[in-house]
Amino acid sequence: IALIGVMALLIASANNLWHPAAMSFLSSEYPANRAFVLSIHGIGSNIGEAVGPLAAGFMLSTLTFGWQKTAIASGIPALTMAIVTLIVLLPKDRPVGDGAARRGIDAKTYLRGMWLLLRERTMLGLTLMAGFRSMAQSGLKFFLPFYIVDVLNLPYVYAGFAMTALLLGGMIAAPIAGIYSDRVGRRSVIMVSLTVSSVIIVLLTAIGDGKTFVFGIALLGFTMLAIRPVIQGWLMDIAPHSVAGSAISVMFSVQAVKSSITPALGGIIAEFYGLTAVFYMLAGILLLANLVVFILPRDVAKPSETAP
């Protein structure tokens, strides 16, 4: 069991190493279409999350592979794409920063860039807002099945449909939000999405019909999940190239910490006030995220790579 835990830790670490590097690379390759490109990146991972469990279940139940062979087979696509990525992207590898050696930048330059980034009001605000949005998303995914089964008294299949609808809504809307934000700006797209998401969450508590509720969840995914690449694109707009990957890592870390709070906080509220009150809490968290966006400066300037 301990060995399986260590292997799971390595898999999670590899995932967290991949995303910051991939996002900073895509951002530098497509500076005029950052949010759209990052939305495509997100769609790829969402498809993997949706197809992976289905494929594993098929191998376990139909092909009688057993868990060990299924685990090995599940690793083949990752290994294959690692080789493809190495062949395709290695020729495009280039130095980070002006005049830097191919090995990267020195520690002093890196720490200076991180200090400049962390001093940025927009960076701190974006990270805080992204954390609130992740809290709402985490809480929704955690408590939604309980709400459907225990409050609406619907069959378990509706919980599955709702979770799938949430994911599909985000997948469909992410490229749309990305393209629009690349053209008109990040701030307005995020504010509208967070406001509409808050309203939808509150309205969901008044719906008792299963099909209508699932449709509402799809709309919520369309608005709330779609802005993730927009937030990431905004962060890449302000992050110095030399620390772009670290900027994403900082945001991911804050999101992970704040998301871990939601199940415990929501559980306490559900214990005393019921599951419906948890949805009101999630709507309030999104309003807090929107308030942070509202006070962020409208004009965003990228910090200088060499400023003292």
Side-chain angles (χ1 to χ4, degrees):
I1 295 177
L3 181 59
I4 293 177
V6 172
M7 295 299 103
L9 180 63
L10 291 175
I11 292 173
S13 300
N15 181 61
N16 286 327
L17 286 171
W18 157 254
H19 281 295
M23 289 177 178
S24 58
F25 176 81
L26 291 171
S27 177
S28 62
E29 286 291 306
Y30 305 95
N33 306 99
R34 284 194 176 106
F36 171 69
V37 172
L38 291 175
S39 70
I40 301 300
H41 174 81
I43 287 176
S45 63
N46 287 335
I47 292 175
E49 289 181 7
V51 175
L54 294 176
F58 175 78
M59 287 185 283
L60 285 170
S61 61
T62 306
L63 302 181
T64 62
F65 268 25
W67 73 268
Q68 290 177 311
K69 290 182 179 179
T70 300
I72 294 173
S74 299
I76 293 176
L79 180 61
T80 303
M81 290 312 302
I83 297 173
V84 172
T85 301
L86 183 66
I87 295 173
V88 174
L89 298 185
L90 189 59
K92 296 184 178 182
D93 192 23
R94 56 178 177 269
V96 179
D98 296 333
R102 179 164 291 274
R103 58 182 172 82
I105 58 176
D106 58 77
K108 182 179 180 180
T109 305
Y110 174 80
L111 292 175
R112 177 183 294 177
M114 282 300 297
W115 170 245
L116 288 169
L117 186 63
L118 294 175
R119 284 196 318 176
E120 278 291 309
R121 176 186 170 190
T122 307
M123 164 65 183
L124 297 176
L126 275 176
T127 303
L128 181 64
M129 178 268 293
F132 282 135
R133 193 205 67 88
S134 292
M135 286 181 69
Q137 180 178 327
S138 173
L140 188 67
K141 289 182 177 180
F142 188 86
F143 291 102
L144 183 59
F146 295 105
Y147 183 85
I148 291 174
V149 175
D150 296 336
V151 177
L152 299 182
N153 296 316
L154 294 172
Y156 288 106
V157 66
Y158 278 91
F161 283 140
M163 299 303 291
T164 302
L166 182 71
L167 181 65
L168 289 177
M171 289 175 59
I172 294 171
I176 300 173
I179 293 173
Y180 195 68
S181 72
D182 286 332
R183 294 180 179 179
V184 305
R186 322 290 188 200
R187 193 172 183 270
S188 58
V189 174
I190 293 175
M191 289 190 68
V192 170
S193 296
L194 290 175
T195 301
V196 174
S197 297
S198 300
V199 173
I200 291 176
I201 289 178
V202 173
L203 291 178
L204 284 173
T205 61
I207 297 176
D209 178 68
K211 294 180 181 179
T212 306
F213 188 86
V214 171
F215 178 75
I217 290 296
L219 288 179
L220 182 59
F222 194 89
T223 57
M224 189 176 73
L225 270 63
I227 60 172
R228 183 170 60 178
V230 181
I231 298 171
Q232 294 164 352
W234 196 352
L235 181 65
M236 292 295 96
D237 290 341
I238 66 171
H241 293 300
S242 57
V243 292
S246 296
I248 287 290
S249 297
V250 170
M251 178 177 284
F252 278 10
S253 298
V254 172
Q255 287 176 326
V257 171
K258 297 184 76 170
S259 295
S260 65
I261 299 173
T262 313
L265 180 61
I268 294 173
I269 293 176
E271 186 72 21
F272 288 96
Y273 302 103
L275 281 170
T276 302
V278 176
F279 276 66
Y280 295 144
M281 178 198 74
L282 298 179
I285 290 174
L286 289 179
L287 288 178
L288 283 177
N290 214 357
L291 178 61
V292 174
V293 179
F294 179 76
I295 63 178
L296 288 178
R298 293 180 178 272
D299 297 324
V300 178
K302 185 185 288 291
S304 171
E305 300 275 358
T306 57

